[in-house]
Amino acid sequence: MSFFKRVGRQVEKFKQTATETAKKDVVYQCQACDARINAQRDQCPECEAQTIVLTAGEE
Ligand SMILES: [Zn+2]
């Protein structure tokens, strides 16, 4: 029982770490509507413009 509890906690921690890393390292932004995207795409999910640029390091 306690084994599953421990594993569950580790998975939660990993999820948080992965999310924080993704936020810091890579941010893509649509130049047409300024939507922010965490993954690289050819098309903006908001306005479907193909103007996604990498804005890593920007706060
Ligand atoms: Zn857009």
Side-chain angles (χ1 to χ4, degrees):
M1 285 299 206
S2 63
F3 170 76
F4 290 106
K5 232 179 193 178
R6 209 182 306 155
V7 170
R9 211 176 288 163
Q10 282 177 351
V11 169
E12 270 313 305
K13 202 173 180 184
F14 174 75
K15 269 194 221 161
Q16 285 176 5
T17 307
T19 307
E20 283 169 18
T21 304
K23 270 184 199 164
K24 277 180 200 163
D25 285 354
V26 180
V27 177
Y28 296 91
Q29 191 164 24
C30 173
Q31 289 195 308
C33 72
D34 286 343
R36 292 200 163 207
I37 307 154
N38 285 330
Q40 186 173 23
R41 293 178 184 231
D42 291 331
Q43 239 181 6
C44 174
E46 298 291 329
C47 70
E48 297 188 346
Q50 295 184 333
T51 54
I52 309 300
V53 294
L54 182 64
T55 59
E58 193 185 335
E59 281 298 305

